[in-house]
């Protein structure tokens, strides 16, 4: 993943159109026209070997004939010419190209990419409509209309949708910072676009139309980084799932591709919407409510209080809220009392707060002030229908100055949204509120839908903050699990028997019901039942029969040996008639569990073709596919993520208890989910897993049945996780200068600690470092430094306990140093930067951190470690020399390059004299 040279693509100084033409209706003519008639200020060159001029502008015969090297080239020529043109552009020094040409075959496409890669030239396309960057007047596309400047970035796989969206948005006055058609995204893809737009100051929100993605880990890491900085909203085509026809488990049947994609969107902190219209509604809403997800009252803000001058409108809003599962905030007693003092005696005295249709201006002001003063009222929706008593504009004029964001307390999040019902009569009032920064909607349903999206976004942002580790739980006996699975695979099988599957669960510390496996003998089944104790359940044991209850292979509640014997005989007759070719390995006999207040649940895992291992949770039992009450999450899980997974199901409401039924033991339930997550990380042979039913009540959980399918191809494991887990295995604890020093990868939770570290740096030290240019940095940049993708970059921090006398939860860490690398897409070069706290210089900490990052990059197969260092930074240059770095060329900006050949490095880095200090 890289944003290298994307500035040449989206902010070029010059553009060349290869294949520029005057032929009406041709691709080259349309692109040339759009570029020439836009407001782009840089030079635009035409390349056409058959004409001396195009549209009155001199044409050049080929790339080599251009008077200067263009930053960006737009290729509109036949497919066979594309690889050679990319090679010529790369030699010339061009760093970006848009390939609009369609029809490249696999060989041509690979030749194009090979030519681009050796010159580090970036390609948008092929088979794309192009891009528009309205802020510089660039229209490098064959769209039929231009885009207005704005703060939304729109990225689409569909070229046809790009033109339709341009037309739709222009008619509504919606502007864009970037408008991009990815086409076949052979090089620049959604991941690259997210990385680039995340740090683009002109972009307030990123809107994506996605049909498919090919690099899930790359996409997820870029999406999570971008979503930390600004809203990322997604429309995903193809909600209907084809399913998995040959699924061997309930989980395989339930975990279709779309529900998995939805889980990925949630986990990345993005928001998925259903329609293009919702895309813009959500973008506008989130622009006004960015503070919601991190405010201490954010739980209260997920509830809504409706203030209206019309009872009917209030009922419509309340109905819409119920349909969208939006909670209306109960009015607190003191707020009710305060409202009684300013409202008529016959006001609604409930939420929605109906202040009656004859309300004068002051009644609006008083009621809204009281509700805003009470944080328990949550988010406020002001609804107004025009009347002849008071003009709507007078109400807006009275309210807007005192209720716009930040007027009363800039630290508080925005809590007000408005719905001005009607047309011309409320148009000016709506415009006044919009000018004051308050989100406005045309109907109650629109407002409720927007608020519902806001709540979903806030919850997704909470998931984004989690960075779970895959450190193995001590309760899992991994060697035992591996031995069991290897025995199954060695026997030429994929499906574990029920007893074998339960042995795996036992090895993971998950409680299972007592179960015995016996041969296909009614007498043996009866004896096993007597040993277990009655009542028992009897089940057929056959590799060819997965869903036993569907074929009469399960009998419950047997209370004597005679009943077991008779049930076994009848079962054998049924199975031999319905499945005459099935190999009957025997019976399983298990104790009947009497837990009348327990819920039947399902916990499962499967391998999604795109996103890899996924975990499923929902309501269990034999009707699990019919009920289809389930949710899916991407591992790894920790307790908060596991609880969020549970909360997305309908059965979660029953798990909280009702009437005389107590709540289930959520610690045991989430522990089961996190244990399955750890098992998936450590045992890649697991292809599918079902625990169904898993009984859960106030006393804990117990697995009644289990299915596991394994594969020798090892389709799972942490290497296949779409999100690389926090690499806890890289944590290193060592003594240093009388203190215990922890060197570990940085975490998202380190944000405040990292800011405190930066604030302790001297200005001179800041200037010396390549990664920081100032002591005070934007929060978006700080988030980017602490929420990294461990797959493509690394930041090790050295920390120590601030007060050595404190232990446990009360102990506070401080950061002493950080070393950071960003590796290029081909893992050739890793650029590094290192900062040691100013008061600790000369203590050997820099040497220690450099050795740590050198070892790490060598372990990943990186070829070189490189940096640009100020020539006056003698301390860094001396340390680099001690570690074996070679100094390179000096640059005009006062820096010089240094590089370390990691492939040629001896196993141990030479000792540095700085270690003596």
């Amino acid at each position: 993943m890289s944003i290298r040279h994307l500035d040449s693509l989206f902010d070029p100084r010059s553009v060349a159109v290869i294949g520029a033409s005057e032929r009406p209706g041709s691709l080259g003519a349309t692109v040339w026209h759009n570029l020439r008639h836009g407001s782009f200020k840089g030079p635009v060159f035409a390349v056409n070997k058959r004409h001396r001029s195009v549209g009155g502008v001199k044409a050049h015969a080929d790339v080599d004939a251009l008077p200067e090297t263009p930053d960006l080239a737009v290729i509109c020529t036949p497919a066979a010419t594309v690889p050679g043109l990319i090679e010529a552009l790369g030699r010339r020094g061009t760093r970006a190209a848009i390939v609009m040409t369609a029809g490249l075959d696999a060989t041509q496409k690979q030749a194009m990419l090979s030519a681009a890669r050796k010159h580090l030239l970036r390609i948008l396309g092929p088979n794309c409509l192009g891009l528009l960057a309205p802020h510089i007047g660039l229209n490098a596309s064959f769209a039929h209309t231009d885009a207005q400047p704005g703060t939304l970035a729109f990225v689409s796989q569909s070229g046809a949708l790009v033109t339709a969206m341009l037309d739709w948005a222009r008619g509504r006055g919606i502007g864009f910072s970037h408008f991009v058609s990815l086409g076949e995204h052979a090089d620049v893809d959604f991941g690259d676009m997210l990385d680039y737009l995340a740090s683009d100051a002109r972009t307030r929100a990123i809107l994506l139309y996605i049909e498919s993605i090919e690099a899930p880990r790359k996409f997820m890491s870029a999406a999570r980084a971008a979503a930390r900085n600004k809203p990322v909203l997604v429309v995903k085509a193809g909600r209907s799932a084809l399913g998995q026809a040959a699924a061997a488990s309930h989980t395989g049947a339930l975990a279709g591709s779309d529900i998995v994609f939805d889980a990925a969107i949630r986990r990345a902190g993005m928001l998925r919407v259903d329609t293009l219209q919702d895309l813009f509604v959500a973008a506008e809403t989130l622009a006004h409510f960015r503070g919601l997800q991190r405010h201490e009252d954010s739980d209260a803000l997920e509830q809504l209080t409706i203030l209206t001058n019309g009872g009917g409108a209030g009922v419509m809003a309340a109905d819409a809220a119920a349909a969208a599962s939006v909670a209306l905030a109960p009015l607190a007693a003191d707020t009710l009392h305060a409202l009684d003092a300013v409202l008529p005696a016959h006001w609604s005295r409930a939420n929605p707060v109906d202040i009656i249709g004859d309300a004068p201006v002051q009644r609006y002001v008083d009621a809204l002030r009281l509700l805003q003063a009470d944080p328990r009222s949550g988010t406020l929706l002001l609804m107004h229908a025009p009347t002849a008593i008071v003009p709507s504009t007078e109400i807006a004029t009275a309210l807007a100055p005192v209720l716009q964001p930040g007027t009363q307390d800039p630290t508080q999040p925005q809590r007000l949204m408005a719905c001005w019902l009607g047309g011309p009569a409320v148009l000016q009032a709506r415009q006044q509120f919009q000018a004051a920064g308050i989100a406005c909607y045309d109907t109650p349903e629109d407002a409720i839908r927007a608020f519902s999206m806001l709540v979903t976004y806030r919850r997704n942002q909470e998931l984004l903050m989690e960075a779970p580790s895959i450190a193995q739980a001590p309760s899992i006996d991994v060697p035992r699990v591996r031995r069991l699975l290897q025995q199954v695979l060695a026997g030429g099988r994929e499906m574990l028997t029920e007893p074998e599957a339960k042995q795996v669960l036992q090895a993971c510390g998950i409680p299972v019901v007592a179960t015995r496996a016996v041969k296909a003998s009614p007498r043996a089944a009866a004896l096993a039942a007597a040993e277990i104790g009655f009542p028992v359940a009897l089940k057929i044991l056959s590799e060819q029969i997965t869903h036993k209850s569907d074929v009469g292979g399960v009998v419950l509640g047997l209370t004597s040996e005679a009943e077991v014997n008779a049930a076994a005989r009848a079962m054998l007759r049924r199975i031999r008639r319905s499945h005459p070719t099935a190999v009957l390995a025997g019976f399983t006999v298990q104790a009947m569990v009497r837990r009348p207040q327990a819920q039947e649940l399902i916990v499962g895992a499967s391998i999604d073709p795109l996103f890899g291992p996924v975990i499923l949770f929902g309501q269990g039992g034999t009707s699990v596919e019919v009920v289809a009450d389930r949710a899916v999450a991407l591992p790894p899980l920790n307790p908060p993520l596991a609880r969020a997974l549970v909360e997305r199901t309908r059965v979660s409401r029953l798990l909280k208890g009702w009437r005389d039924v107590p709540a289930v033991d959520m610690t045991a339930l989430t522990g089961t989910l996190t244990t399955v997550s750890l098992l998936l990380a450590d045992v890649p042979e697991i292809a599918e897993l079902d625990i169904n039913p898993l009984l859960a009540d106030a006393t804990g959980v117990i697995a009644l049945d289990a299915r596991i399918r394994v594969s020798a191809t090892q389709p799972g494991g942490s290497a296949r996780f779409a999100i690389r887990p926090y690499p806890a295995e890289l944590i290193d604890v060592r003594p240093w200068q009388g203190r215990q020093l922890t060197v570990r990868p940085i975490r998202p939770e380190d944000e405040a600690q990292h800011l405190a570290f930066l604030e302790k740096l001297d200005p001179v030290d800041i200037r010396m470092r390549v990664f920081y240019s100032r002591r005070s940095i934007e929060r978006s940049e700080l988030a980017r430094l602490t929420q990294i993708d461990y797959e493509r970059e690394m930041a090790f921090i050295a920390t120590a306990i601030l007060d050595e006398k404190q232990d446990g939860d009360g102990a506070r860490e401080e950061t002493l140093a950080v070393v950071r690398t960003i590796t290029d897409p081909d893992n050739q070069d890793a650029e590094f930067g290192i900062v040691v706290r100013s008061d600790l210089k000369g203590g050997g900490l820099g040497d220690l951190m450099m050795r740590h990052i050198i070892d790490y990059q060598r372990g990943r197969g990186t070829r070189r470690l490189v940096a640009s260092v100020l020539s006056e930074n003698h301390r860094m240059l001396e340390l680099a020399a001690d570690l074996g770095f070679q100094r390179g060329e000096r640059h005009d900006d006062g820096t010089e390059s240094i590089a370390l050949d990691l492939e040629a490095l001896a196993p141990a880095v030479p000792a540095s004299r700085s270690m003596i200090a």
Side-chain angles (χ1 to χ4, degrees):
M1 180 175 300
S2 174
I3 60 173
R4 182 175 293 182
H5 300 318
L6 290 191
D7 52 343
S8 295
L9 186 64
F10 297 110
D11 195 10
R13 292 168 295 182
S14 58
V15 183
V17 179
I18 303 176
S21 172
E22 293 180 330
R23 180 164 54 89
S26 68
L27 178 61
T30 305
V31 173
W32 180 252
H33 175 273
N34 284 348
L35 264 172
R36 292 287 296 163
H37 287 79
S39 55
F40 181 66
K41 304 300 183 185
V44 178
F45 307 109
V47 177
N48 189 314
K49 63 182 180 181
R50 293 190 180 93
H51 300 282
R52 293 187 175 183
S53 66
V54 177
V57 177
K58 180 182 179 181
H60 306 275
D62 52 35
V63 171
D64 292 333
L66 288 170
E68 64 178 78
T69 300
D71 274 0
L72 171 65
V74 185
I75 299 177
C76 308
T77 57
T81 67
V82 172
L85 288 170
I86 293 295
E87 173 63 35
L89 288 165
R91 285 197 313 267
R92 187 68 194 265
T94 298
R95 290 293 174 254
I98 302 173
V99 180
M100 295 184 175
T101 308
L104 273 74
D105 61 30
T107 301
Q108 291 166 337
K109 190 182 298 185
Q110 185 55 54
M112 173 190 73
L113 292 174
S114 297
R117 184 172 293 115
K118 64 183 179 181
H119 298 293
L120 296 177
L121 185 151
R122 306 307 304 274
I123 294 175
L124 180 66
N127 190 20
C128 70
L129 183 132
L131 68 87
L132 298 93
H135 60 279
I136 59 171
L138 178 68
N139 184 348
S141 78
F142 58 90
H144 69 294
T145 186
D146 211 340
Q148 295 178 325
T151 57
L152 301 179
F154 185 81
V155 183
S156 171
Q157 274 179 272
S158 167
L161 184 64
V162 166
T163 57
M165 179 60 66
L166 271 173
D167 205 53
W168 186 89
R170 192 169 185 85
R172 288 159 178 78
I174 298 172
F176 298 91
S177 61
H178 299 82
F179 213 101
V180 183
S181 164
L182 290 180
E184 296 179 26
H185 48 89
D187 175 27
V188 177
D189 60 11
F190 281 112
D192 298 323
M193 288 303 309
L194 285 165
D195 263 346
Y196 179 82
L197 295 170
S199 57
D200 179 60
R202 301 182 183 92
T203 300
R204 172 173 53 84
I206 304 170
L207 316 182
L208 307 177
Y209 173 80
I210 297 176
E211 294 175 353
S212 64
I213 59 174
E214 283 74 39
R217 182 172 277 191
K218 173 182 177 180
F219 171 77
M220 288 297 291
S221 60
R224 294 174 69 219
R228 283 291 299 265
N229 291 351
K230 57 193 67 174
V232 181
L233 314 177
V234 177
V235 173
K236 169 65 167 66
R239 271 195 177 274
S240 57
L242 295 178
Q244 299 180 25
S249 66
H250 294 296
T251 298
L254 290 172
S257 60
D258 190 71
I259 190 175
V260 176
F261 187 90
D262 202 56
I265 293 299
R266 291 177 182 273
R267 184 67 182 86
M270 301 185 288
L271 176 66
R272 183 179 185 180
V273 296
D274 295 327
T275 67
L276 295 173
Q277 184 175 358
D278 282 348
L279 200 66
F280 290 100
V281 170
E284 187 65 20
T285 302
L286 292 174
H288 296 291
F289 288 87
R290 280 294 285 152
L292 172 62
Q293 67 272 18
R294 291 187 181 88
H295 192 265
E296 61 183 2
D297 295 324
S298 54
D299 288 337
L301 291 174
E302 287 193 3
Q303 296 183 322
L304 193 65
T305 296
I306 302 167
L307 176 64
T308 178
N309 71 333
V315 171
M316 291 174 64
D319 286 346
S325 300
V326 169
L328 297 185
L331 295 178
D334 53 345
T335 301
L336 272 171
H337 180 71
L339 288 169
D340 282 336
V342 299
L343 298 180
H346 54 289
W347 77 281
S348 62
R349 302 201 84 252
N351 184 8
V353 178
D354 181 5
I355 63 174
I356 316 303
D358 63 353
V361 170
Q362 194 57 43
R363 194 183 298 172
Y364 282 92
V365 173
D366 291 341
L368 210 49
R369 281 189 185 277
L370 288 172
L371 290 174
Q372 187 145 338
D374 182 6
R376 295 165 295 182
S377 61
T379 299
L380 310 177
L381 171 58
L382 169 67
M383 295 176 52
H384 170 80
T387 69
I389 297 175
V390 180
S392 302
T393 53
E394 291 187 16
I395 296 169
T397 300
L399 292 177
V402 296
L403 294 176
Q404 60 181 301
T407 298
Q408 299 189 20
D409 184 352
T411 66
Q412 297 299 307
Q414 170 63 285
R415 294 178 53 207
L416 179 64
M417 52 202 310
C419 175
W420 296 93
L421 292 160
V426 298
L427 179 59
Q428 188 176 346
R430 184 184 294 123
Q431 290 173 342
Q432 286 180 262
F433 261 47
Q434 288 173 333
I438 296 169
C440 295
Y441 306 92
D442 294 337
T443 68
E445 293 79 8
D446 287 344
I448 296 299
R449 187 170 72 254
F451 181 73
S452 177
M453 290 189 286
L454 183 70
V455 171
T456 300
Y457 176 73
R458 180 256 178 176
R459 293 173 181 171
N460 293 356
Q461 284 277 299
E462 286 184 339
L463 301 183
L464 172 63
M465 296 298 292
E466 301 294 337
S469 167
I470 58 167
Q472 190 63 60
S475 60
I476 297 182
D477 188 347
V478 175
R480 180 185 172 192
V481 172
R482 287 178 173 155
R483 284 195 301 271
L484 284 168
L485 301 191
Q486 288 303 318
Q487 289 171 7
V488 172
L489 291 171
R493 292 187 289 131
E494 283 196 343
M495 290 299 303
L496 275 67
T497 64
E498 181 186 346
E500 289 170 336
K502 286 181 176 176
Q503 288 181 55
V504 171
L505 298 188
Q506 284 181 314
C508 295
I510 298 173
V512 299
V513 66
T515 303
R516 299 277 181 87
V518 298
K519 62 183 180 180
S521 160
R523 177 61 180 161
L527 290 175
E531 293 176 2
I532 291 174
F534 297 99
V536 296
L538 180 70
K539 302 178 183 180
I540 198 68
L541 184 59
S542 171
E543 187 179 346
Q544 287 75 40
I545 301 173
T546 302
H547 301 297
K548 298 178 283 290
S549 58
D550 294 349
V551 297
V554 178
V555 180
L556 306 177
L558 302 174
T559 59
S560 68
E561 289 187 48
E563 287 187 15
V564 173
N565 196 305
R569 293 179 185 278
M571 186 179 295
L572 288 174
R573 288 194 296 269
R574 285 195 301 272
I575 299 300
R576 284 167 180 159
R577 283 197 302 268
S578 63
H579 289 70
T581 61
V583 177
L584 304 183
F587 297 106
T588 58
V589 183
Q590 68 180 48
M592 289 289 295
V593 177
R594 302 290 189 184
R595 296 173 81 160
Q597 295 183 327
Q599 291 292 323
E600 288 192 345
L601 306 173
I602 179 173
V603 171
S606 63
I607 309 297
D608 182 76
L610 181 63
F611 288 99
V614 298
I615 295 175
L616 177 140
F617 171 82
Q619 186 171 349
T622 57
S623 60
V624 62
E625 280 105 347
V626 177
V627 175
D629 175 25
R630 84 284 193 195
V632 166
L634 303 183
L637 297 182
N638 59 9
L641 291 172
R643 185 176 289 271
L645 173 61
V646 173
E647 289 292 332
R648 294 205 302 276
T649 61
R650 297 189 300 275
V651 75
S652 64
R653 287 173 280 184
L654 296 178
L655 303 182
K656 297 173 183 177
W658 78 97
R659 294 186 179 177
D660 62 337
V661 178
V664 306
D665 182 349
M666 284 300 295
T667 300
L669 179 55
T670 57
T672 300
L673 288 165
T674 55
T675 296
V676 169
S677 171
L678 294 168
L679 181 66
L680 291 176
D682 215 49
V683 186
E685 293 85 358
I686 294 178
E688 288 185 36
L689 179 149
D690 256 6
I691 307 174
N692 181 35
L694 177 75
L695 294 188
D697 59 16
T699 64
V701 298
I702 187 169
L704 298 192
D705 200 357
R707 295 182 185 89
I708 296 177
R709 183 172 69 85
V710 293
S711 172
T713 62
Q714 300 189 355
S718 60
R720 286 289 316 279
F721 283 10
I723 300 174
R724 185 183 177 189
Y726 178 79
E729 70 278 7
L730 298 179
I731 297 175
D732 180 31
V733 180
R734 62 178 70 187
W736 177 75
Q737 293 193 351
R739 305 177 71 177
Q740 180 172 284
L741 189 72
T742 300
V743 179
R744 61 170 175 81
I746 202 166
R747 296 189 298 246
E749 304 93 311
D750 293 324
E751 189 174 299
Q753 182 176 317
H754 204 65
L755 179 60
F757 164 72
L758 297 177
E759 289 174 341
K760 291 184 178 180
L761 297 178
D762 292 336
V764 173
D765 289 326
I766 296 172
R767 190 172 66 83
M768 293 285 189
R769 270 52 183 179
V770 296
F771 282 92
Y772 312 107
S773 58
R774 56 195 183 279
R775 183 179 300 178
S776 174
I777 64 174
E778 297 293 331
R779 193 200 166 276
S780 61
E781 185 180 348
L782 187 62
R784 183 68 190 86
L785 294 175
T786 54
Q787 170 128 3
I788 66 171
D789 171 24
Y790 305 109
E791 184 70 12
R792 56 182 170 156
E793 58 187 300
M794 180 53 68
F796 285 110
I797 60 173
T799 70
I801 301 301
L802 192 59
D803 185 351
E804 294 283 359
K805 297 179 181 178
Q806 283 189 311
D807 293 317
D809 295 337
R812 290 195 302 119
E813 269 190 331
E814 61 175 342
T815 297
L816 311 181
V818 59
V819 62
R820 186 180 302 268
T821 53
I822 299 177
T823 307
D824 69 27
D826 298 321
N827 199 28
Q828 299 296 301
D829 291 354
E831 186 174 2
F832 78 91
I834 180 170
V835 185
V836 176
R837 210 172 70 188
S838 300
D839 60 329
L840 298 175
K841 290 185 298 185
L845 191 53
D847 184 277
L848 184 151
M849 297 298 285
M850 282 301 303
R851 290 172 179 276
H852 206 82
I853 202 68
I854 289 170
D855 288 344
Y856 173 76
Q857 294 296 157
R858 288 181 68 201
R860 289 184 62 83
T862 309
R863 293 184 60 182
R864 292 198 316 159
L865 203 58
V866 300
S868 293
V869 182
L870 284 173
S871 299
E872 61 190 275
N873 191 352
H874 304 296
R875 185 183 295 275
M876 183 66 234
L877 291 171
E878 181 180 342
L879 173 59
D882 290 340
L883 293 171
F885 281 81
Q886 300 298 311
R887 294 170 71 163
E889 60 181 304
R890 300 182 65 147
H891 308 290
D892 294 338
D893 60 359
T895 65
E896 56 183 286
S897 59
I898 60 173
L900 178 65
D901 186 343
L902 296 177
E903 290 185 327
L905 198 62
V909 180
S912 167
R913 59 176 173 271
S914 61
M915 287 292 289
I916 301 172

